[in-house]
Amino acid sequence: MSAWHTESEVLIGADQELYLAGGNHGVLRFATGEVVIRDDSIANMQANLQGRREAAARGGFAFAHMIAPEKYRVVTDAFPLASTGSLARQYADGGCVGVIDPVAEMRAETEGRTYYRTDTHWAPHGKIIAARLVALAGERDPADVAAAEQAMRNCLAPAPQAFCGDLGRKLDPKQDEPTVIIRVPHAIRTFENGLPHDYQRPVNDGRLVLTESDAPTARGTLLIFGDS
């Protein structure tokens, strides 16, 4: 296998670690430095962040913005390319300050995987770290955040079946992996606005998800805007 072995837009790294090689985001082109964000895009980002902070402040709300790191920035040992950059790093170097970039915290995790082997997204330990950082940025009491994080970690349990991620599904044969899930002892209800969401017809734009917990660790409402 060569250092650049790809299959169906999947880059296959050491120990069968899978990374995104295709898609609309052009992840590998950022990794190699081939793509550089334009100055006007950085200026737009700065203006958007400032506007959102001001709007939140007017309403008395805390505001936080996180750029989820590309998997190759966190799971580095198996990545077969010499990484020279990333989307978040270019925005930060361009002057977009105050953005959460959780690479260091995710690299420091020792209890479990922060990214699935067969997927581009966070595994449960990565989700827990992201939740902690958002809560701290939202000015929650650090002691309460630490207690909530430990409670989440205590709810981790082996998943009843193997997980096949968005990258593993692209391969033939498909690849899956054992994983853990967060199994909370109380009810969590999720409601959606009816837009289709499955792997044959994925929809991101306009999808609305409402989640309620019977045992929240904090009172209030958390509003999240996100994209793929």
Side-chain angles (χ1 to χ4, degrees):
M1 184 181 72
S2 69
W4 275 87
H5 178 71
T6 62
E7 178 183 335
S8 301
E9 298 188 332
V10 176
L11 187 152
I12 302 175
D15 300 321
Q16 293 296 294
E17 190 76 42
L18 305 183
Y19 299 88
L20 181 62
N24 295 330
H25 301 297
V27 172
L28 290 188
R29 291 184 295 161
F30 283 105
T32 59
E34 177 185 344
V35 173
V36 177
I37 300 173
R38 301 195 316 265
D39 290 342
D40 60 332
S41 294
I42 292 177
N44 287 337
M45 176 69 124
Q46 290 173 323
N48 286 339
L49 290 172
Q50 184 62 28
R52 292 168 186 173
R53 290 191 185 100
E54 292 173 354
R58 287 195 297 269
F61 305 117
F63 171 80
H65 186 101
M66 175 182 288
I67 298 181
E70 300 91 343
K71 178 179 177 180
Y72 71 82
R73 297 183 61 211
V74 176
V75 187
T76 58
D77 290 346
F79 191 58
L81 308 180
S83 172
T84 59
S86 73
L87 185 67
R89 191 70 263 154
Q90 288 192 35
Y91 277 121
D93 292 343
C96 295
V97 298
V99 175
I100 303 172
D101 185 17
V103 170
E105 290 83 359
M106 291 197 173
R107 285 179 180 173
E109 174 62 40
T110 59
E111 293 184 8
R113 293 190 61 100
T114 52
Y115 283 77
Y116 293 105
R117 182 183 66 80
T118 63
D119 199 272
T120 57
H121 300 88
W122 294 325
H125 286 85
K127 296 174 184 177
I128 289 172
I129 292 171
R132 178 224 301 163
L133 295 176
V134 169
L136 291 174
E139 302 174 0
R140 294 292 179 181
D141 180 82
D144 291 343
V145 174
E149 177 177 358
Q150 189 57 54
M152 291 177 70
R153 290 179 181 270
N154 292 342
C155 290
L156 291 171
Q161 59 188 24
F163 172 78
C164 179
D166 57 359
L167 300 175
R169 284 189 298 273
K170 292 177 178 290
L171 302 179
D172 185 17
K174 294 180 174 61
Q175 291 193 19
D176 58 24
E177 61 186 301
T179 187
V180 296
I181 57 175
I182 302 174
R183 183 175 290 159
V184 296
H186 55 269
I188 294 178
R189 290 173 296 277
T190 300
F191 311 92
E192 299 202 28
N193 62 345
L195 291 180
H197 181 71
D198 57 50
Y199 294 115
Q200 283 69 48
R201 298 182 303 161
V203 172
N204 290 321
D205 292 342
R207 187 166 176 241
L208 177 65
V209 181
L210 176 65
T211 301
E212 294 179 344
S213 171
D214 279 353
T217 57
R219 297 297 172 182
T221 299
L222 174 64
L223 179 63
I224 300 176
F225 293 95
D227 59 24
S228 176

